[in-house]
Amino acid sequence: MVLGGIDYFIIIFYLIGTVLLGIYIGRKMKSGQDYFLAGRSLPWWAIGMSLVVTDIGATDMVGIAGAAYLYGIVLGNYDWLGSVPVMVVGAFLFIPMFWRSKVSTIPEWLGARYNDSVRTISAVIWGVVTAFGLGVTLYATALMFNLLLDLNPKVIVVTESQEVRKKVVVATAAGKTHDFIFLQEGDPIQSVIDSKDPNLVLVDLKWKGSVTSKNPISLFHVDEVNANWGQTMMDKARPPTWTLMYSIIIMSILIGTYTLFGGLKAVVYTDVLQCVVMLGGSLFVLFFGIYKLGGIGEFVAIIQSLGDRAENHFELVLPVDTATPHPWSGIFLGLGLVLANAYWFGNQNMVQRTLGAKSEADAKASYVFGSILKILIPFAMVIPGIIALAHNPNITDADKAMATLVKDILPTGLLGIFFAAFLAGLMSSVDSALNSGATIWTKDVYQKFVKPDATDEHLLEVGRWITAAMLGIAIFFAQFAARFESIYDLSQTILSFFQGPSLAIIVLGMLWKRATGKAALISLLSGVMFAGTLMWVNSNASVPLFKVSEPFLYVAWWSFVLSVVIIIIVSLMTPPEPESKLKGLVYRYE
Amino acid sequence: MNNILLSATAWADAIANLFRGMGDVMRGWMLAIPMSVAKGVFIAYFLLLIYWIIKLPENEVTLSLSSGKMIKLRPYALFSLITTVVIYLVF
């Protein structure tokens, strides 16, 4: 199934419409307060929907569905454990405290609670992590964009053997940059080659003389398929006319335009539109996908028939020695107790919206509303990944599972609507990271160190320049994201360096009056260094330290534990903060 | 270059050995926990939060929106958590 003219029209209409909506919302933008916090005018329902759609951005739509394709419903933990309960806790404990303190950023709150050093270090780390994370989300967004619009260069492989197919993909190392089309006896081989305009055609010797192509074509024997052969073949391939980088730049211009003009308000209201379309679209894919497989019973039976490969695909809680990166111990301790909490009330991306809420009630209600919407997300993102496996167990790159499913099951016309919805969802995570990153760099670095007496109008101008600069940095980082097997794991790994220590100083800062600035600083730095050391040791030791392939959950847990221990010990060894400083920032001192 | 790589591996091995013994013991404890108990841990966590929400003072959960309308958040928070418990019981 390929996109028809109507699909392209819908996608282009939607993308341009989103940009125009953002520009329209931003037309009355006059100050930094308007740009960074939407003039504190946001209602709970808009924030709630924005929170959810921001969280289910590029990494979820591409990465979670891809990971679910590989590992199953265990990925549902990232919403059912990693969002629902934490958002409820955040609604009643952390978010109201942030909102009442009238800060613009979490580092600003840390500065008020502890000291300027904690604020600055936290701001710089978040600013850098956000810029790098933006690169990852931009990459994922462009990956989806390319796949949906069928822009990837293609390699057609004509062979009967499943084993040979896998060997060819590995040997050419082109699975991330090219789409592979496998053909065998019974397929309309010549017509597919003629219609797809492939960059390279590889033909098993068995078909010698029976296949032709105006593009580079090579015969091969199974015994010669190795890395050298793969490299030689790829050198022969016609250069791509469209690369991932072009898509990255196009998405950057579209997203950058409305974020630059409209700030947080444009981000939140475009998110509302994106949430409705994307949730509707994803749930439709769920029902239509199961229907196409013959119903729930048939769907489950197909997955079970895949044997060992999918034996735990319907298990939410996996054993400690599971071969996946998601053992229950890591999920519960690393995700449930650390990463999830750090994400929902320690992440500027998320918290910034509630800081722009009209009232404390709106801020609280937005998180409760978001928690209800979050229950639906695994049905919209994770289970379609498993449906993709049932539908096609031979997808070579798991990150392409969701897009492949959508392309395969939906008819022309509907495809355009759902592709536009998916693209919109991907855009939402980029625009949010862009806006929150710009807020941190402007408020916590520029205003703090460069121009403390800057007017609100000047901050608006600076915020826009920083937004543009971050986009440039993200484009640069995006090209490195392709080197990782799962972009979701990559993004979690980046965050795990910082999330545990950051959470430790926020939680103890808000709940324990005895936590001191010096202790927080030492705790934050030690925690980040410890997390980095664990990751480095795990990669460089002759036997990895952790037994799971992507140990970000354990790294987050242990860096959190270490940071908590350090902040408690050092706080008790240093003089307490004056009580006047704690008012409004620590529970029981309001 | 090889020397640098060798020394990086040697350093990593030395640091890893500091943690490995303790890690293996803890992993052994975790492995000994039956899967039914592991699932119980997840559900107990949700039940604890449900209890906390029920016990929250009324002024924390019933608030006035900027529009002047009162909103009761407790039932919605409970709905979220109870639905999630059901999901963990099913899968």
Side-chain angles (χ1 to χ4, degrees), chain B:
Chain B
M1 187 65 185
N2 278 345
N3 285 339
I4 295 169
L5 289 175
L6 275 176
S7 99
T9 306
W11 273 103
D13 282 340
I15 298 170
N17 287 336
L18 290 176
F19 295 112
R20 210 182 298 280
M22 184 177 64
D24 286 345
V25 170
M26 296 178 85
R27 183 178 156 83
W29 292 343
M30 288 294 199
L31 276 167
I33 296 173
M35 286 308 292
S36 56
V37 175
K39 189 166 240 188
V41 170
F42 282 69
I43 291 169
Y45 170 63
F46 288 109
L47 294 178
L48 195 68
L49 291 179
I50 288 171
Y51 176 76
W52 177 64
I53 293 291
I54 291 170
K55 296 302 259 182
L56 276 175
E58 194 58 36
N59 65 339
E60 292 282 323
V61 292
T62 303
L63 298 133
S64 173
L65 292 167
S66 52
S67 59
K69 196 177 164 189
M70 295 299 282
I71 183 166
K72 288 177 185 285
L73 294 174
R74 195 185 331 252
Y76 299 107
L78 288 175
F79 171 78
S80 259
L81 294 171
I82 291 168
T83 307
T84 316
V85 170
V86 172
I87 288 168
Y88 274 85
L89 288 171
V90 171
F91 294 106

Side-chain angles (χ1 to χ4, degrees), chain A residues 294-535:
Chain A
I296 292 176
E298 193 64 26
F299 165 47
V300 173
I302 293 170
I303 293 297
Q304 286 171 343
S305 72
L306 296 172
D308 290 351
R309 177 181 173 186
E311 66 177 344
N312 289 321
H313 266 53
F314 292 115
E315 294 289 340
L316 260 177
V317 181
L318 296 182
V320 173
D321 55 356
T322 174
T324 77
H326 312 288
W328 77 263
S329 46
I331 288 284
F332 186 76
L333 298 172
L335 172 69
L337 300 187
V338 180
L339 282 180
N341 293 281
Y343 185 76
W344 285 107
F345 35 82
N347 185 325
Q348 178 70 17
N349 248 5
M350 296 296 141
V351 173
Q352 187 168 344
R353 287 152 175 63
T354 63
L355 299 177
K358 277 181 182 174
S359 66
E360 184 184 336
D362 281 276
K364 279 185 171 181
S366 69
Y367 258 53
V368 174
F369 179 48
S371 78
I372 293 171
L373 291 177
K374 268 294 190 180
I375 295 169
L376 294 173
I377 301 308
F379 294 105
M381 301 288 152
V382 175
I383 295 181
I386 308 174
I387 293 173
L389 177 67
H391 181 77
N392 181 358
N394 299 317
I395 296 170
T396 52
D397 180 357
D399 284 340
K400 294 176 181 172
M402 181 69 151
T404 307
L405 173 73
V406 170
K407 277 181 75 174
D408 285 351
I409 67 170
L410 295 185
T412 303
L414 277 180
L415 272 176
I417 295 171
F418 293 107
F419 287 179
F422 292 150
L423 284 172
L426 305 180
M427 291 161 75
S428 70
S429 53
V430 180
D431 63 26
S432 304
L434 206 51
N435 186 252
S436 68
T439 307
I440 285 180
W441 283 112
T442 307
K443 300 288 286 187
D444 295 306
V445 179
Y446 180 80
Q447 189 178 20
K448 177 77 187 159
F449 294 105
V450 181
K451 201 161 185 179
D453 58 346
T455 62
D456 225 14
E457 290 72 22
H458 179 68
L459 290 179
L460 169 63
E461 196 180 327
V462 172
R464 283 179 165 155
W465 276 110
I466 290 177
T467 303
M470 286 192 65
L471 208 48
I473 293 167
I475 291 170
F476 174 75
F477 277 136
Q479 58 193 305
F480 300 110
R483 297 179 187 175
F484 289 80
E485 187 183 348
S486 161
I487 55 171
Y488 188 76
D489 289 345
L490 168 63
S491 64
Q492 292 300 325
T493 301
I494 295 166
L495 286 174
S496 68
F497 274 64
F498 176 54
Q499 300 266 51
S502 177
L503 178 69
I505 62 171
I506 290 173
V507 170
L508 285 171
M510 209 173 267
L511 301 179
W512 190 43
K513 66 170 185 172
R514 193 62 184 80
T516 67
K518 277 184 187 166
L521 182 62
I522 295 169
S523 166
L524 179 64
L525 292 174
S526 317
V528 172
M529 283 173 62
F530 184 62
T533 304
L534 286 180
M535 280 294 190

